[in-house]
Amino acid sequence: MHWLADVLAAIGVVLNGIPQGIMAMSLGFAVFPTMFSFIFASAVNGAFGTVAPLSFQAESLALTGNLGRDLRERTSIILGGSVVMLLIGVTGTLTKIVAVLGNSIMAGMMAGVGLMLAKIAFGLAKKERLTGWLSVGLAVLTYLLTKDLVWTIVLSVVGSSLAAVFITHYRAELPAHVTARRFVFTKPTINPRVIRGALSLACLNIGANISYGLITGEMTGIKPNPVNLNLLTITQSLADMGTSLLGGAPVEAIISATASAPEPVVAGIMMMLIMAVILAVGWLPKLGKYVPSASIAGFLFILGTVVIFPADAATALQGKDATVAAITLVVTAVADPFAGLLTGGLLKFALPLLGLGV
């Protein structure tokens, strides 16, 4: 019955990814080219026996949507970030960056991202009060009762969407490029906002690839950790690089329950192929018409304040770099991950040269 456990694990992760895919559509990302990112990642995982799959990630979507003003800027941010991550993956410098900066500063950046997600959640709730605040309320209640993120995202998104449909008669008409079953080249642009966004996305992915990738590897119970971080980074960057030029959404490292399945590689591939089929047959856009963007507010709030922030903040505020890590946390939350890591790195190495200690 191993296959049944693999299928159930794959379906559980798909259920978690669908609302975040709807979030991607609400930001203007096209569905059809994103399908090929899942197919590409599943092929790589099958060829190399990798247990860490890729999927829609709320953190990267929220950051990209927050820093990019329109689709062209958002896809350019993804393209720029993927180029940076490809260089990091090919040269094998991912773990070296963490070794130089230290775990405390990296954890401070991730904790700041948690607060950033909570801020975005409240912003969504303020824009669409009924849907947003109901989503937050349902997410808090569900998580307190179940401690399960899949149930949290499903019930908060479904409940708030049903309220929007039946109370406010919500129905969105998605832009043609979002649902088009063809490739549309999206010409990249470059400006200070895009550069800042690309560097911020790369900083976020450095932390996410290491933390999410290794956590997924630990869930297999295999020693040593089976996740090849450089391969994960290269796969994610190539997938994002291709889809961004066609207006598609980013797919990133996630904490995947497929790793706890009897056959973690098979379950991860199965999950990505199921998601590819959902995108190919057009089910996601049909659902997206009835799901307001604010319905994801509750999940973002729980993800940021309960899942990401406490653990990373605790790690950040321990050890000799605690003060610098705390500053990194605050700057990330107020500005962006790149500003946070840059500030933390400069303080860590500049203060001792000046004879100052914090």
Side-chain angles (χ1 to χ4, degrees), residues 70-322:
D70 52 35
L71 178 63
R72 191 178 176 194
E73 282 194 351
R74 290 165 185 165
T75 54
S76 299
I77 287 171
I78 296 166
L79 177 63
S82 64
V83 170
V84 174
M85 292 304 293
L86 180 61
L87 293 174
I88 290 173
V90 170
T91 57
T93 55
L94 185 65
T95 53
K96 294 176 183 177
I97 291 173
V98 178
V100 170
L101 291 177
N103 288 329
S104 294
I105 292 176
M106 291 301 302
M109 184 269 291
M110 290 301 293
V113 169
L115 293 183
M116 181 182 290
L117 292 179
K119 180 181 176 182
I120 292 171
F122 284 136
L124 290 171
K126 289 178 181 178
K127 288 181 181 178
E128 300 179 48
R129 293 185 179 276
L130 172 65
T131 306
W133 290 119
L134 181 59
S135 175
V136 171
L138 288 172
V140 170
L141 180 61
T142 304
Y143 192 80
L144 288 175
L145 292 175
T146 67
K147 299 295 188 294
D148 189 303
L149 274 180
V150 174
W151 279 110
T152 299
I153 191 171
V154 170
L155 292 182
S156 63
V157 169
V158 171
S160 58
S161 297
L162 288 174
V165 170
F166 289 107
I167 297 175
T168 65
H169 306 292
Y170 177 87
R171 180 185 173 92
E173 290 301 325
L174 297 173
H177 73 270
V178 171
T179 58
R181 299 174 61 81
R182 57 191 175 87
F183 295 122
V184 179
F185 177 70
T186 305
K187 185 178 179 180
T189 185
I190 186 167
N191 57 45
R193 183 186 294 272
V194 168
I195 295 172
R196 173 193 171 197
L199 294 173
S200 295
L201 184 60
C203 290
L204 172 61
N205 280 330
I206 289 171
N209 284 8
I210 291 173
S211 57
Y212 297 174
L214 292 181
I215 289 172
T216 297
E218 287 175 2
M219 291 169 67
T220 64
I222 300 172
K223 302 292 182 180
N225 196 304
V227 173
N228 183 327
L229 291 174
N230 291 325
L231 178 61
L232 175 62
T233 301
I234 292 171
T235 305
Q236 168 248 311
S237 60
L238 289 176
D240 283 354
M241 195 177 298
T243 194
S244 65
L245 291 171
L246 299 171
V251 292
E252 318 287 18
I254 59 169
I255 298 174
S256 178
T258 56
S260 60
E263 299 291 342
V265 176
V266 173
I269 293 172
M270 199 179 300
M271 180 277 292
M272 290 187 283
L273 291 179
I274 292 173
M275 190 65 80
V277 170
I278 289 172
L279 299 181
V281 299
W283 289 344
L284 198 62
K286 291 178 181 178
L287 288 172
K289 292 181 180 180
Y290 304 98
V291 180
S293 59
S295 66
I296 199 74
F299 175 67
L300 291 179
F301 176 75
I302 292 296
L303 182 64
T305 60
V306 179
V307 178
I308 296 176
F309 179 78
D312 283 307
T315 301
L317 300 179
Q318 294 177 353
K320 60 184 179 65
D321 292 328

Side-chain angles (χ1 to χ4, degrees), residues 326-352:
I327 296 172
T328 302
L329 189 162
V330 173
V331 173
T332 299
V334 173
D336 56 69
F338 174 66
L341 273 190
L342 181 62
T343 301
L346 289 175
L347 289 176
K348 177 175 181 176
F349 296 107
L351 291 179

